[in-house]
């Protein structure tokens, strides 16, 4: 071992190494660019169009148009990422029921404030993780319930919307040979 190597060994610091590892994680990994499947994307777009059209009619007729945001985001997952674990019916249905009911319950007890919105998001995430129903747009539904102070009537268009979304997705996605929805129910 030469003198330079010995001096470098003396300079090495375990906390500096951990810091280096930490920042290297932020570079990400190289990715393999898969070919873009135009046909599959068009199929997804048509599915989203169908589902969101039905949901919009429901939302505007029930005066709960704010439900469109979370359910629109869910439709992207259910059609464009129909194989994904966050797109399966357990996550969609369970996530929405749990999140929306939790948001409304917290709002009815504590009212609306910035801290209540933040705490609700944390509680919803914990509950979805514990019940294995993580679906990010469902968490948004809880925030919409509090922020717009929708009241318990908001549950009706949410429930109808999520069941319609899963039903339309089952009917539509399974029309195509390379698609299957759902991959699993529970």
């Amino acid at each position: 071992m030469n003198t330079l190597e010995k001096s470098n060994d003396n300079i090495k610091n375990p906390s500096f190494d951990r810091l280096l590892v930490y920042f290297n994680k932020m570079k990400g990994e190289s990715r393999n660019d898969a070919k873009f499947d135009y046909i599959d994307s068009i199929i997804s777009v048509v599915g989203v169009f169908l589902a969101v059209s039905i949901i919009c009619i429901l939302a505007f007729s029930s005066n709960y148009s704010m439900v469109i945001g979370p359910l629109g985001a869910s439709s992207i997952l259910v059609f464009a990422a129909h194989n994904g674990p966050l797109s399966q019916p357990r996550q969609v249905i369970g996530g929405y029921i749990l999140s929306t009911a939790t948001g409304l319950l917290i709002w009815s007890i504590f009212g609306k404030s910035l801290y209540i919105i933040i705490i609700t998001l944390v509680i919803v995430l914990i509950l979805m993780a514990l019940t294995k129903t993580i679906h990010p747009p469902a968490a948004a539904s809880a925030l919409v319930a509090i922020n717009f102070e929708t009241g318990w009537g908001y549950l009706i268009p949410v429930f109808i919307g999520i069941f319609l979304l899963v039903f339309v997705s089952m009917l539509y996605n399974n029309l195509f040979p390379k698609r299957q929805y759902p991959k699993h129910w529970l």
Side-chain angles (χ1 to χ4, degrees):
M1 195 186 265
N2 66 29
T3 312
L4 184 59
E5 288 174 346
K6 285 181 186 177
S7 65
N8 282 341
D9 285 343
N10 293 335
I11 295 173
K12 284 189 178 180
N13 181 345
S15 60
F16 181 73
D17 288 344
R18 277 188 241 131
L19 193 60
L20 222 58
V21 168
Y22 174 75
F23 284 116
N24 278 331
K25 287 181 182 181
M26 294 179 196
K27 291 191 306 189
E29 298 174 2
S30 63
R31 75 177 177 175
N32 298 330
D33 287 334
K35 281 189 158 185
F36 186 75
D37 189 343
Y38 292 98
I39 301 298
D40 192 59
S41 296
I42 291 169
I43 291 170
S44 295
V45 166
V46 172
V48 168
F49 176 80
L50 292 171
V52 172
S53 296
I54 295 168
I55 290 168
C56 282
I57 291 168
L58 164 77
F60 283 110
S61 66
S62 67
N63 291 324
Y64 284 103
S65 60
M66 69 283 294
V67 78
I68 295 168
L71 287 173
S74 292
S75 70
I76 299 293
L77 283 173
V78 168
F79 288 98
H82 53 88
N83 291 329
L86 302 179
S87 303
Q88 301 308 307
R90 174 190 176 99
Q91 284 68 25
V92 176
I93 295 168
Y96 269 100
I97 291 171
L98 186 68
S99 296
T100 307
T102 300
L104 287 167
L105 182 64
I106 291 171
W107 167 75
S108 64
I109 295 170
F110 299 106
K112 174 185 169 181
S113 77
L114 174 64
Y115 297 111
I116 293 302
I117 289 172
I118 294 166
I119 290 167
T120 299
L121 189 57
V122 170
I123 291 170
V124 162
L125 175 59
I126 291 168
L127 290 174
M128 285 194 297
L130 289 173
T131 58
K132 298 179 182 166
T133 57
I134 292 179
H135 186 70
S141 183
L143 300 182
V144 165
I146 293 172
N147 196 43
F148 286 93
E149 300 178 283
T150 60
W152 287 91
Y154 180 63
L155 280 175
I156 295 168
V158 168
F159 284 178
I160 293 171
I162 58 175
F163 286 108
L164 276 171
L165 179 60
V166 169
F167 182 69
V168 169
S169 182
M170 280 184 349
L171 292 178
Y172 181 78
N173 278 320
N174 292 316
L175 288 172
F176 304 95
K178 293 182 180 179
R179 288 178 170 244
Q180 177 190 352
Y181 186 82
K183 287 291 186 186
H184 52 81
W185 281 93
L186 298 175

